[in-house]
Amino acid sequence: MPRLTDARKELRRTQIAEAAVRCFSRNGLERTSIADITAECGLSAGSIYAHYRNKADLVRAAAREVLAKRADALGEYAAADAPPGPDELLSRLIAAIDPAEARVGVQTWGESTTNPAIRDIVVDMTDRMRAMLRDCLTAWLVKVEHHEPAEARERATPMAHRVMALYQAELLYSALESPPEETAS
């Protein structure tokens, strides 16, 4: 069997993680099996287990994929000559919500209350997202509002908490408003 290059391995991991997100969105975290994911991505269970140890690993990868998308956007916003303020930042985040990803996020939050491995993932991803929001708002306060960097960072922290809370509320609304795709029976 030929060995996969690093780039090919990363593509395969992404393919599996994206299939897992679709399955989690449609079936729920608890009801999604590795067999569902293999059927969704067209790979063998062995191939999936070559890239991920278990379902928690897949949840972590799916969360990282979603977070990476947000990180790219937030990095671009912060690097702009005029980064968006809190209201505009929240509007942009809300406009980018994918209902399937929102459903998986909400399911992950629920599972985190009883599963320590999932809880660790949720806490880590929430902390990272909040830090990215704080950095973007710090850039806005420095570049647009002309605050000193130390003061800007201090002021950005509570703003980031509020933007994060409102964004999470919108994720919940999006997850509840959009029905999952029907599974083929």
Side-chain angles (χ1 to χ4, degrees), residues 22-41:
R22 290 189 300 274
C23 290
F24 295 151
S25 174
R26 189 173 51 240
N27 306 332
L29 288 176
E30 188 64 31
R31 290 189 312 268
T32 295
S33 66
I34 294 297
D36 295 326
I37 298 168
T38 62
E40 184 74 23
C41 68

Side-chain angles (χ1 to χ4, degrees), residues 1-22:
M1 180 175 207
R3 295 182 63 84
L4 295 175
T5 64
D6 288 343
R8 186 75 178 140
K9 284 180 190 175
E10 194 54 41
L11 284 173
R12 184 64 47 92
R13 286 180 63 81
T14 300
Q15 175 188 4
I16 295 166
E18 289 172 351
V21 168
R22 290 189 300 274

Side-chain angles (χ1 to χ4, degrees), residues 15-16 34 37-38 62 78 84 93 110 112 128 130 138 140 145 156 160 162-163 168 175 177-178:
Q15 175 188 4
I16 295 166
I34 294 297
I37 298 168
T38 62
L93 288 168
S112 73
R128 288 180 187 207
R130 191 175 290 134
T138 299
W140 170 72
E145 298 294 310
R162 288 190 296 275
V163 169
Q168 287 173 321
E177 289 176 345
S178 62

Side-chain angles (χ1 to χ4, degrees), residues 141-165:
L141 286 165
V142 169
K143 294 178 181 179
V144 176
E145 298 294 310
H146 308 292
H147 291 274
E148 291 299 318
E151 178 194 0
R153 188 167 181 82
E154 186 176 318
R155 291 182 67 149
T157 298
M159 289 177 170
H161 283 263
R162 288 190 296 275
V163 169
M164 182 72 169

